[in-house]
């Protein structure tokens, strides 16, 4: 019983930051129709930026609680700087091109950002320790958890509900939904597609960086973290169905639980449990769990 | 047949020239060319798939299968001939392709890319944990013989160079013939409009599965060639960045011309080895910029610079002209 | 007893709550040229899609020359001799007009495609050019379809459907998107290309002048059902048809 609970809670913790990252990925896909490999790099840059800003705050002798503000600040900074720059200078040139070609564009971007972050932050690992102890330890029955890990679950819930509310209950959200559904018709109704693309991409970058910033205290921030994240978050959105928020949540939970099951029961399978689940889902639901079938007009 | 005969002669001449030139090249360049040829063979497979409209992001799967089977055949089962090893690696990968192909034939674009990626990463995960084949360290493969001749320290570079050049040339010729065949044209039609092809009365899925199996056989041959020349194999053969390099190569080459993939492969090897040596921290950056430039300015690949699209044979074109003239007079009446 | 080419019996199709076809029964004898009329959403294209295997009927059966074809896919149905053209032409845009026809002919004549035999086989090229000429399209043979105007694409789409020498051909709005004064010329071209033969033809059409000029039988659809079926002169004056179909058009 304890084992099952452990697996579930571990799975939920893993799923939570993954969901934040995947949410950005699925949003960018929904609006811009780009499956963004560089999303993993935004995650990594978010983590690095968090390390820098938390370090800066610590050097200025700010109270430890401010380190949480530092994490958020890092994500915002990355989004505001990286998002518009890339969208305006690069992605804009490729809109409407073949999906696979767009994947390659972002693959090129991923390669570039890998080295750029090495140039900025070097190759030695960073540890962001300050925020991790803020919430103490929490006991759930006989199990003990670091409070920070559980706080991440709350952050993920806030992100999910926030994005859902923003999309479905606000005018801006309706505009974005219209663009997701059919950007040509949206444009003909007077919506400024360019702005929506820019906004959605920047927000997607923000979510990736936020995921990176909030996981930074849980990991050692070093080159290579982007690769692992991108593959796993791809698995999440593919399992859930591209462009679906609910799908991203379910996909993250499935991946999280699959991984923690493997870790606790069959550690050797940790590495590929995620791919196995993704392959299994795709075999039975070729377009993911929550993808609507699109009828072709002939 | 005449176009194919023409290509056969041209490729043979190029091969002879290459083999002669090889006698004068330094060791490091021979090795680089060997790797470029071996990896280029995998890229050929991707080109076959791209003509049908799909790109596999998991070609490392068949690359690793070919490599591991060749390596195991050499170390465990005492197979010593290099050509036999390549055939074994290719056959094993083709069998894997025949199992996965019909399943994958339903998928397109991103889903095809992701599923192939997942399969290759599952294999990577298995290989890393399989201590029987050396886990994440892999294992060394002894130097094989070549058609009865033994290969030693002094002649090995040239022998492997010759082996990979000959095999790469033969396979390129076969792929060129395939691309010109009626099946090759069908692939292009499928990429354009598979609904119509299905309505013409032929199976799109079967065609896609066949392309996948051909690509697998080529990938396996490339893997086996690489292992033989490197003398070592490890799970990274199946890692996704490896598959990414193959995609990179295929995009760079474009699908207009099969030989172009070797140019792309050589370019990639050159960039890799030079930047590893001179600017190890920024070689991915250089690669990324390069890829972006290609996509921006040569979206159909370097092959499109010289390959002319297939058109009607001269006689048929003449008849088309006469028919057009008749149509024009009819319309005028 | 007459042997029908096509026998549809009690076909039904629902999409969720929407009834796209209900109790549709239709027998078509060899050589008939049947026109399906009805306002948008009446069920004409649904019927064509069911016969050609694009969608599977929820109920009922379809027979071709007395043989069951219900539930088969487009490929199997095409192989049995039912071919179609599309409202939006389904062509390979990057290939030339001649190549489009060549692909269709290769599939039709050489079912099992060759891995080494060249695609530009002399006999097939000749046949492709002859077919293009019959449609008045020989001048476009070497041009990529993406450069061709809409009317030419419609004709090419129909030409591709003819490559199999089908038993039954279904044309989904062959003249839609073509200007009024070109419509008759286009239908003439199509019928001449079919050699005025006994090829059994079903076509969907909205223009009643075309209907009365070219059909020898008219079937009117409304709300997923057949409301009239007979000679053009009778059906076009039928009060229900006037109310639900032609009345709307005026």
């Amino acid at each position: 019983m304890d084992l099952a609970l452990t697996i579930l809670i571990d799975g939920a913790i893993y799923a939570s930051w993954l969901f934040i990252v995947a949410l950005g990925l699925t949003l960018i896909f929904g609006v811009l129709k780009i499956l963004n490999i560089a999303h993993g790099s935004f995650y990594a840059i978010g983590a690095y930026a968090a390390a820098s800003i938390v370090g800066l705050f610590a050097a200025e002798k700010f109270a430890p609680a401010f380190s949480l503000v530092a994490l958020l600040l890092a994500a915002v900074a990355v989004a505001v700087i990286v998002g518009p720059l890339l969208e305006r200078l690069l992605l804009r040139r490729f809109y409407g091109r073949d999906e696979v070609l767009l994947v390659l564009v972002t693959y090129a971007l991923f390669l570039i950002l890998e080295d750029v972050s090495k140039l900025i932050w070097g190759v030695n690992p960073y540890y962001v320790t300050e925020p991790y102890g803020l919430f103490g330890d929490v006991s759930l029955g006989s199990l003990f958890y670091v409070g920070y890990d559980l706080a991440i679950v709350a952050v993920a819930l806030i992100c999910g509900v926030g994005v859902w509310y923003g999309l479905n209950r606000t005018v801006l959200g309706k505009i974005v939904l219209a663009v997701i559904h059919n950007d040509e018709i949206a444009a003909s109704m007077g919506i400024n597609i360019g702005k929506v693309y820019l906004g959605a991409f920047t927000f997607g970058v923000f979510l990736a960086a936020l995921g990176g910033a909030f996981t930074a205290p849980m990991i050692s921030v070093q080159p290579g973290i982007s690769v692992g994240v991108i593959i796993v978050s791809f698995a999440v959105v593919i399992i859930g169905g591209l462009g679906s928020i609910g799908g991203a949540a379910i996909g993250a939970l499935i991946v999280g639980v699959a991984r923690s099951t493997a870790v606790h029961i069959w550690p050797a399978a940790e590495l590929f449990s995620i791919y196995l689940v993704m392959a299994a889902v795709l075999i039975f639901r070729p377009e993911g769990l929550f993808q609507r079938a699109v009828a072709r007009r002939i | 047949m005449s176009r194919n005969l023409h290509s056969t002669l041209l490729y043979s001449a190029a091969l002879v020239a290459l083999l002669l030139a090889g006698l004068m090249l330094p060791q490091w360049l021979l090795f680089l060319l060997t790797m470029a040829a071996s990896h280029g063979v995998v890229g050929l497979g991707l080109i076959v798939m791209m003509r049908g409209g799909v790109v596999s992001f998991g070609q490392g799967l068949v690359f690793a299968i070919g490599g591991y089977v060749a390596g195991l055949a050499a170390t465990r089962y005492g197979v010593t001939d290099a050509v036999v090893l390549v055939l074994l690696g290719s056959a094993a990968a083709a069998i894997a392709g025949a199992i996965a192909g019909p399943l994958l034939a339903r998928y397109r674009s991103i889903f095809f890319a992701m599923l192939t990626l997942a399969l290759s990463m599952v294999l990577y995960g298995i290989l890393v944990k399989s201590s029987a084949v050396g886990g994440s360290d892999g294992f060394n493969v002894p130097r094989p013989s070549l058609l009865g001749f033994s290969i030693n320290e002094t002649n090995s570079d040239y022998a492997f160079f010759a082996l990979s050049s000959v095999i790469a040339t033969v396979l390129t010729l076969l792929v060129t013939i395939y691309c010109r065949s009626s099946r090759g044209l069908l692939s292009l039609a499928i990429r354009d409009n598979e609904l119509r092809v299905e309505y013409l009365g032929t199976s799109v899925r079967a065609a896609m599965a066949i392309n996948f199996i051909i690509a697998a056989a080529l990938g396996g041959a490339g893997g086996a060639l690489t292992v033989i020349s490197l003398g070592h194999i490890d799970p990274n053969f199946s890692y996704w960045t490896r598959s990414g390099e193959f995609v990179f190569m295929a995009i760079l080459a474009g699908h207009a011309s099969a030989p172009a993939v070797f140019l792309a492969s050589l370019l990639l090897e050159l960039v890799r080895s030079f930047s590893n040596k001179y600017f190890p921290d920024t070689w991915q950056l250089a690669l990324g910029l390069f890829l972006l430039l290609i996509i921006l300015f040569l979206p159909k690949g370097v092959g499109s610079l010289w390959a002319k699209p297939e058109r009607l044979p001269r006689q048929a074109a003449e008849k088309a002209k006469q028919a057009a003239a008749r149509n024009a007079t009819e319309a005028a009446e | 007893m007459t042997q029908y080419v096509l026998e549809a019996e009690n076909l039904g199709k629902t999409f969720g709550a929407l009834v796209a076809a209900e109790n549709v029964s239709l027998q078509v004898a060899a050589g008939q040229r049947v026109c399906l009329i009805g306002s948008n959403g009446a069920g004409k294209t649904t019927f064509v899609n069911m016969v050609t295997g694009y969608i599977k009927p929820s109920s009922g059966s379809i027979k071709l020359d007395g043989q069951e074809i219900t539930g088969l896919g487009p490929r199997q149905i095409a192989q049995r001799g039912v071919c179609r053209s599309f409202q939006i032409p389904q062509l390979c845009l990057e290939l030339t007009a001649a190549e489009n026809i060549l692909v269709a002919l290769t599939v039709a004549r050489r079912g099992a495609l060759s891995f080494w035999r060249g695609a530009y086989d002399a006999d097939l090229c000749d046949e492709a050019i002859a077919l293009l000429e019959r449609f008045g399209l020989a001048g476009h043979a070497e041009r990529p379809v993406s450069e061709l105007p809409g009317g030419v694409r419609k004709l090419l789409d129909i030409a591709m459907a003819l490559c199999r020498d089908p038993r039954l051909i279904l044309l989904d709005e062959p003249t839609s998107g073509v200007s009024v004064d070109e419509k008759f010329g286009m239908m003439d071209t199509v019928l001449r290309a079919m050699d005025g033969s006994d090829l059994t033809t079903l076509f969907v059409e909205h223009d009643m002048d075309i209907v009365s000029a070219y059909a020898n039988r008219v079937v009117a659809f409304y709300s997923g059902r057949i409301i009239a079926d007979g000679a053009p002169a009778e059906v076009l004056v039928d009060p229900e048809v006037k109310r639900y179909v032609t009345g709307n058009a005026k």
Side-chain angles (χ1 to χ4, degrees), chain A residues 29 35 37 90 93-94 97 99-101 103-105 107-112 114-116 118-119 123 227-228 230-231 234 238 242 267-269 271-272 275-276 278-279 282-288 291 296 298, chain B residues 53 55 57 103 106-107 109-111 113-115 117-119 121-126 128-129 192-195 199 239-241 244-245 247-248 251 280-289 291-292 295-296 299:
Chain A
F29 182 84
L35 190 56
I37 292 188
L90 185 70
R93 295 166 200 278
F94 297 101
R97 300 277 284 273
E99 272 181 21
V100 175
L101 193 86
V103 172
L104 284 165
V105 170
Y107 174 57
L109 191 58
F110 160 81
L111 290 175
I112 294 169
E114 277 295 283
D115 278 355
V116 168
K118 268 188 225 161
L119 288 176
V123 291
V227 175
I230 189 56
I231 299 284
F234 265 28
I238 294 281
L242 281 162
L271 208 53
F272 62 94
Y275 304 105
L276 272 183
M278 170 164 132
L282 277 183
I283 285 163
F284 294 106
R285 294 272 311 186
E287 312 251 284
Q291 184 88 340
R296 176 171 179 175
I298 58 173
Chain B
V55 182
F57 275 54
L103 183 80
R106 294 154 63 198
Y107 300 84
S109 71
I110 300 293
F111 297 97
M114 288 301 119
L115 196 52
L117 175 87
L119 290 179
M121 290 303 289
V122 168
L123 180 68
Y124 173 80
I126 292 172
V128 165
K129 301 290 176 190
D192 248 2
N193 194 337
E194 56 181 272
L195 179 75
Y199 265 105
Y239 199 60
W240 78 279
T241 47
E245 280 175 23
V247 175
F248 184 107
I251 292 293
D281 288 335
T282 49
W283 86 277
Q284 296 194 86
L285 190 132
L287 221 56
L289 285 176
L291 183 57
L292 276 184
I295 295 174
L296 265 178

Side-chain angles (χ1 to χ4, degrees), chain A residues 67-82:
Chain A
S67 60
L68 288 178
V69 179
L71 297 181
L72 194 64
L73 202 63
V76 172
V78 170
V80 170
I81 296 169
V82 175

Side-chain angles (χ1 to χ4, degrees), chain B residues 180 192 196 200 319 326, chain C residues 90 94 126 133 157 164:
Chain B
R180 281 185 194 142
D192 248 2
R196 169 55 99 175
L200 292 176
K319 282 183 190 165
R326 285 194 296 273
Chain C
Q90 298 295 324
E94 286 184 29
D126 288 353
E133 188 183 353
D157 191 57
R164 253 187 189 279

Side-chain angles (χ1 to χ4, degrees), chain C residues 222-244:
Chain C
Y222 176 72
S223 181
R225 280 189 312 224
I226 293 178
I227 53 168
D229 179 354
E234 296 164 28
V235 173
L236 294 180
V237 296
D238 182 288
E240 272 207 311
V241 172
K242 277 186 146 172
R243 183 164 161 215
Y244 292 122

